[in-house]
Amino acid sequence: MSDFITVLRETCPTPVLDATKWQRIGGDPHTVNLNAYVSADGSKIMGTWICTPGKFQVHYEKWEYCHFLDGYCVITPEGEQPVHLKAGDVFVIEPGMKGTWEVVETVRKYFVFA
């Protein structure tokens, strides 16, 4: 194996329930994190996130890449128009983004935090 390449083909992550640090502000959302990769220093994380309908107050401290596999949500940055996201969408959220994340239909997404 390479010191520079990590193959995740055989990864079987342990589900982590309701681990989000985001404040719930609507509904009764529940999350499942399946972290397939965490860097040695903990600064980079990659995996799958599943969330049932509800609304969170969010404040991003890290950059995030997302690829929605299922579901529908609305992310509204403070002072900006809502962004509607659905299955098939790929997007990036920059550090410093504050606002709300509302899951309308249960979401399943691949994510990378760096």
Side-chain angles (χ1 to χ4, degrees):
M1 280 307 221
S2 170
D3 290 336
F4 300 100
I5 299 171
T6 302
V7 178
L8 303 171
R9 190 174 300 124
E10 304 293 325
T11 301
C12 295
T14 301
V16 179
L17 305 177
D18 293 324
T20 184
K21 64 181 181 176
W22 296 345
Q23 178 186 357
R24 289 172 175 84
I25 59 172
D28 187 28
H30 293 278
T31 64
V32 177
N33 281 57
L34 299 164
N35 296 337
Y37 172 82
V38 179
S39 63
D41 65 1
S43 67
K44 296 171 189 71
I45 302 170
M46 186 278 294
T48 302
W49 184 75
I50 302 164
C51 185
T52 60
K55 192 171 186 178
F56 299 92
Q57 187 72 42
V58 298
H59 178 196
Y60 274 75
E61 297 173 1
K62 291 184 165 196
W63 175 94
E64 182 183 18
Y65 160 91
C66 300
H67 178 186
F68 267 31
L69 304 170
D70 296 304
Y72 169 64
C73 82
V74 180
I75 300 175
T76 307
E78 285 182 349
E80 296 185 22
Q81 293 297 311
V83 178
H84 297 260
L85 299 157
K86 61 185 180 355
D89 287 343
V90 176
F91 58 98
V92 170
I93 298 176
E94 297 292 340
M97 196 284 285
K98 294 180 182 180
T100 60
W101 180 305
E102 181 178 6
V103 175
V104 179
E105 297 173 1
T106 297
V107 164
R108 184 170 57 102
K109 68 172 181 165
Y110 288 131
F111 70 88
V112 176
F113 276 106

